């Protein structure tokens, strides 16, 4: 009896690229830290799609893949010694700094990817699917809910032990200044604004550039080197 061939989906393709990165990057590298987190998130989204938890699987896959491709393109740009988007530069510049803790690397990557890439990915997906951002709101919210549910796990896994985590620890105050839920809400507004500006390329480009710069500034703050 002939064996059925395994079908490779677009999500499988981006997962394969993330796993290849995980295999070749040093464990302590800041990009590797974020990549492991994002790989976990993307695997969770893939499982939810397979389980039928997204009302529109095609829309969920399109958004998930367009989203991942933004991150992977930034990595490739940096590896080729070209200039990545401003939101990603702090992570690539600080990825080997001994004074930056793993949790900072993870959150800086999440900040760049959610704060900038997700808004552009929504627009990319709308163009591919021929729909409006409101048609993707359920998929956007479900992916966001997954990210928020994983954030607590990420913080627990990467947070320093009780002996290092004190009320006076600068990391405590640094992490308190950034919220994934607030970033997600701002991203949805940015995506809708970009879609509204799609026929005004000059204004859309200016808006995207300013969004990129603002998210990059937040990333630099999150990657402030700290003393042990």
């Amino acid at each position: 009896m002939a064996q059925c061939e395994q079908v490779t989906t677009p999500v499988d393709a981006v997962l394969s690229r993330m796993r290849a990165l995980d295999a070749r990057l040093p464990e302590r590298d800041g990009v590797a830290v974020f990549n492991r987190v994002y790989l976990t998130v993307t695997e969770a989204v893939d499982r939810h799609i397979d389980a039928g938890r997204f009302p529109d699987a095609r829309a969920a896959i399109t958004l998930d893949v367009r989203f991942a491709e933004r991150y992977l393109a930034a990595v490739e740009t940096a590896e080729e010694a070209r200039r990545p988007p401003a939101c990603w530069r702090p992570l690539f510049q600080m990825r080997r700094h001994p004074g930056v803790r793993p949790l900072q690397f993870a959150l800086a990557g999440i900040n760049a990817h959610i704060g900038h890439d997700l808004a552009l990915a929504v627009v990319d997906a709308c163009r591919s699917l021929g729909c409006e951002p409101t048609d993707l709101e359920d998929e956007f919210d479900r992916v966001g809910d997954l990210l928020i549910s994983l954030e607590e796990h990420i913080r627990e896994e990467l947070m320093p032990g009780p002996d290092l985590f004190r009320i006076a620890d600068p990391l405590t105050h640094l992490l308190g200044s950034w919220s994934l839920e607030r970033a997600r809400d701002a991203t949805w507004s940015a995506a809708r604004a970009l879609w509204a500006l799609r026929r005004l390329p000059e204004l859309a480009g200016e808006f995207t550039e300013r969004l990129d710069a603002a998210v990059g500034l937040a990333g630099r703050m999150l990657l402030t080197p700290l003393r042990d």
Side-chain angles (χ1 to χ4, degrees):
M1 182 176 176
Q3 291 185 340
C4 294
E5 291 186 5
Q6 186 175 3
V7 177
T8 301
T9 69
V11 178
D12 292 332
V14 295
L15 283 170
S16 178
R17 292 169 69 186
M18 287 183 213
R19 288 171 183 143
L21 274 175
D22 184 52
R24 65 182 172 80
L25 291 177
E27 184 178 357
R28 279 280 305 174
D29 181 283
V31 176
V33 173
F34 168 72
N35 189 75
R36 287 193 296 273
V37 168
Y38 190 35
L39 177 57
T40 300
V41 170
T42 307
E43 287 172 338
V45 172
D46 192 35
R47 288 193 299 271
H48 279 61
I49 292 171
D50 289 343
R53 296 185 187 177
F54 286 92
D56 186 338
R58 178 169 173 255
I61 290 169
T62 301
L63 179 59
D64 190 35
V65 171
R66 296 291 182 271
F67 188 30
E69 286 173 342
R70 289 272 171 184
Y71 156 63
L72 293 167
V75 173
E76 289 179 356
T77 298
E79 288 180 338
E80 293 169 1
R82 293 184 290 120
R83 194 170 175 82
C87 61
W88 285 107
R89 285 175 215 154
L91 180 60
F92 292 128
Q93 291 166 355
M94 302 292 285
R95 62 194 294 178
R96 298 180 182 87
H97 196 294
V100 179
R101 302 180 190 177
L103 181 56
Q104 292 175 263
F105 287 133
L107 293 184
I110 292 171
N111 168 71
H113 204 37
I114 298 294
H116 174 265
D117 292 355
L118 184 53
L120 274 62
V122 169
V123 175
D124 291 342
C126 286
R127 292 186 188 279
S128 295
L129 296 166
C131 67
E132 299 281 327
T134 51
D135 298 320
L136 295 179
E137 191 166 6
D138 282 345
E139 286 69 34
F140 180 94
D141 286 343
R142 287 172 187 267
V143 170
D145 290 343
L146 267 177
L147 286 162
I148 289 170
S149 69
L150 287 168
E151 185 188 18
E152 183 177 350
H153 170 71
I154 292 164
R155 288 177 182 257
E156 288 176 356
E157 183 177 342
L158 297 178
M159 183 69 75
D163 55 326
L164 293 176
F165 188 56
R166 300 183 299 271
I167 193 66
D169 191 329
L171 183 60
T172 309
H173 302 284
L174 190 62
L175 299 184
S177 66
W178 187 85
S179 161
L180 174 56
E181 191 163 4
R182 288 197 301 270
R184 183 185 70 166
D185 291 344
T187 292
W188 181 244
S189 297
R192 293 181 64 192
L194 279 170
W195 184 251
L197 293 171
R198 67 191 183 281
R199 294 187 180 91
L200 299 170
E202 186 175 342
L203 284 177
E206 183 179 341
F207 184 94
T208 302
E209 185 176 337
R210 291 181 182 275
L211 176 66
D212 189 20
V215 174
L217 184 62
R220 290 192 182 280
M221 177 199 69
L222 287 168
L223 291 171
T224 300
L226 304 172
R227 293 181 178 179
D228 291 332

